[in-house]
Amino acid sequence: MALPRVIMHVDLDYFFAQVEEVNNPNVKGKPVIVCVYSGRTADSGAVSTANYLAREVGIRSGMPIILAKRMVKDREAVFLPVNHSLYKSVSDRVMELLRENSDRFEQVSIDEAYLDASVKTRGDFKSAARLASDIKKIVREKEGLTCSIGVGPNKLVAKIASDFKKPDGLTVVRPDEVTTFIAPLPVDRIPGIGKKTETKMKEIGIRTVEDLAGQDHERLRETFGEKLGTYFLNSSRGMDDEPVQEREMAEQLSRIITLKQNTRDLALILGELPRIVSDIEARLQREELASASVGVILIDEKLEVHTRSKKLDNPTASQEEILVASKDLIEKFLNEEPDTILRRVGIKLSDLARKGEQKSLGEFLSH
Ligand code: TTP
Ligand code: MG
Ligand code: MG
């Protein structure tokens, strides 16, 4: 018999606000509210997220800032504007840690990801519980952040489980526990069931997942359509066979470093390239990707950003090829810009494709 799948869903707790707490330790212990200011008046805009102290008084994502201010008026609360690049760089590092601890990895948003750990844990949920608690420990030690993890036999159950206990939660649902775990939950815990669907379901007497599971198939399909009806019914039984899949990388892969000193000395700059390239290549290998376009990101001492890129005839994952292409681009750039002194250097790969889907000409000819 095939081993059960072991799937985890990891979601960082009050993510933007928690990053702010780590970044400004003096705000810890106070309600922290991260806001998107629209700029029209001093307080116009909406709450992006808030820490749990702020949530205690009812502050929520999406709420007008003015309303949030009223709710904490007797307290020493901290309102901060969103700092996206900070959250993105923390997220990138956390995602890398999660990826390293999985067989397969799928990032779904800036603060959450699915991990398939079936092989790593040999389908054993005790071992999965240990792995999940190790992951929590690693993320706390490396980034000072707490997260909540759900472990289950599929993505659906893992997602519901990660939300079950927050913040800093760990909920493991073994295959034989799925039905008892989900049956009593309100239907809106099923991903995709929002306010509108929930109301519609209430009207026909469905409040819990168990109520949903007891519905007549035909009736559900009539009410919600073939596709959704089937999805709701399967979900109500904790059934889901969606694979954990690396998302098609619309984005590129990049790594950037700060030079030890500002310079335009080609040899000094090239000396830094191998460590960027080996870092990038490790990610290409892990994700089984190849790149058809190599670019360099060059930030000068005035913090101006310059980019140069080059299409390759065939997608590559080879350190050698990436290195050669980047060297050429940097050399050319320095020749074109005789006065520019560089502060940071990075490599960016784009036009990523899954290896094997596109064999390089070299590989083709050697077969
Ligand atoms: P979430 O994971 O939904 O929320 P959270 O991490 O703040 O809180 P928790 O997981 O503990 O319940 O969203 C991740 C980030 O996305 C969040 O920190 C800020 C941003 N976000 C918004 O900007 N607006 C929103 O309406 C939501 C829901 C999130
Ligand atoms: Mg979160
Ligand atoms: Mg999230």
Side-chain angles (χ1 to χ4, degrees):
M1 215 182 83
L3 288 172
R5 291 198 295 155
V6 174
I7 310 296
M8 298 188 189
H9 181 261
V10 182
D11 189 290
L12 292 157
D13 300 321
Y14 62 104
F15 181 49
F16 294 2
Q18 202 184 176
V19 172
E20 294 292 353
E21 286 180 353
V22 172
N23 215 36
N24 327 293
N26 58 319
V27 306
K28 191 112 194 181
K30 299 175 186 168
V32 176
I33 302 106
V34 177
C35 303
V36 181
Y37 290 95
S38 70
R40 220 165 296 151
T41 67
D43 282 345
S44 61
V47 172
S48 167
T49 195
N51 66 0
Y52 280 73
L53 272 173
R55 290 182 197 193
E56 272 172 20
V57 298
I59 294 178
R60 295 286 179 271
S61 292
M63 176 178 281
I65 298 169
I66 303 177
L67 186 55
K69 286 216 159 147
R70 238 178 268 147
M71 294 174 122
V72 286
K73 70 173 181 322
D74 324 317
R75 300 178 186 222
E76 208 187 324
V78 182
F79 286 79
L80 295 166
V82 283
N83 179 352
H84 243 288
S85 57
L86 172 66
Y87 315 143
K88 176 70 168 66
S89 57
V90 174
S91 163
D92 283 351
R93 293 197 301 266
V94 172
M95 292 302 156
E96 207 45 46
L97 296 173
L98 300 181
R99 189 195 302 274
E100 280 165 8
N101 283 284
S102 68
D103 306 325
R104 273 177 179 285
F105 176 82
E106 179 177 348
Q107 183 177 351
V108 280
S109 80
I110 191 158
D111 85 330
E112 63 196 272
Y114 289 103
L115 281 60
D116 189 324
S118 311
V119 178
K120 250 183 184 335
T121 60
R122 296 196 197 87
D124 174 46
F125 276 73
K126 272 216 188 84
S127 146
R130 274 195 302 273
L131 176 62
S133 93
D134 287 347
I135 290 174
K136 283 167 65 75
K137 196 162 154 237
I138 293 168
V139 174
R140 196 166 51 236
E141 283 174 0
K142 300 248 162 149
E143 297 294 337
L145 297 171
T146 63
C147 61
S148 298
I149 303 187
V151 185
N154 57 48
K155 285 163 84 171
L156 173 88
V157 174
K159 166 101 180 158
I160 297 174
S162 76
D163 198 43
F164 188 70
K165 187 173 173 288
K166 247 184 171 301
D168 207 11
L170 171 54
T171 305
V172 181
V173 184
R174 290 191 320 250
D176 60 312
E177 297 169 326
V178 168
T179 317
T180 33
F181 172 66
I182 61 169
L185 299 176
V187 279
D188 68 354
R189 297 295 179 84
I190 294 174
I193 301 192
K195 264 268 150 300
K196 256 170 73 185
T197 311
E198 189 199 355
T199 311
K200 209 160 158 187
M201 287 190 173
K202 242 184 214 156
E203 280 164 13
I204 51 177
I206 306 168
R207 285 170 183 277
T208 64
V209 174
E210 188 171 25
D211 296 339
L212 185 61
Q215 291 294 305
D216 177 64
H217 300 198
E218 272 320 302
R219 181 153 171 234
L220 267 190
R221 291 198 186 105
E222 271 162 33
T223 319
F224 297 101
E226 178 73 30
K227 222 173 136 193
L228 266 187
T230 308
Y231 168 73
F232 291 155
L233 209 62
N234 285 337
S235 301
S236 71
R237 294 168 181 169
M239 282 162 39
D240 167 38
D241 52 18
E242 286 296 309
V244 172
Q245 253 171 347
E246 189 77 45
R247 292 275 163 118
E248 273 316 317
M249 310 252 312
E251 277 189 292
Q252 350 78 358
L253 204 73
S254 66
R255 253 302 175 273
I256 188 157
I257 55 133
T258 304
L259 296 164
K260 296 197 183 83
Q261 62 195 78
N262 293 0
T263 181
R264 55 173 284 107
D265 181 315
L266 185 64
L268 271 183
I269 298 168
L270 295 187
E272 299 288 340
L273 284 190
R275 70 182 167 115
I276 314 180
V277 174
S278 80
D279 204 310
I280 278 197
E281 194 238 17
R283 283 190 65 184
L284 281 178
Q285 295 296 358
R286 211 164 28 238
E287 295 170 31
E288 299 183 351
L289 291 168
S291 161
S293 170
V294 175
V296 291
I297 308 166
L298 305 166
I299 301 177
D300 66 25
E301 54 177 4
K302 293 176 208 133
L303 298 181
E304 254 189 65
V305 181
H306 312 262
T307 58
R308 293 288 188 277
S309 68
K310 170 169 175 167
K311 288 239 177 259
L312 303 176
D313 292 335
N314 295 293
T316 185
S318 126
Q319 284 202 38
E320 183 76 43
E321 277 185 68
I322 298 168
L323 205 54
V324 170
S326 330
K327 277 180 180 167
D328 287 349
L329 290 166
I330 294 173
E331 195 166 3
K332 218 166 134 227
F333 171 82
L334 290 172
N335 287 335
E336 288 166 2
E337 303 253 1
D339 298 318
T340 305
I341 295 170
L342 297 177
R343 175 183 159 81
R344 308 187 73 205
V345 174
I347 294 180
K348 178 175 87 178
L349 301 183
S350 35
D351 287 345
L352 298 176
R354 235 164 260 298
K355 253 183 175 171
E357 285 168 14
Q358 264 173 295
K359 275 212 168 79
S360 77
L361 193 62
E363 280 177 90
F364 237 103
L365 293 176
S366 67
H367 285 117

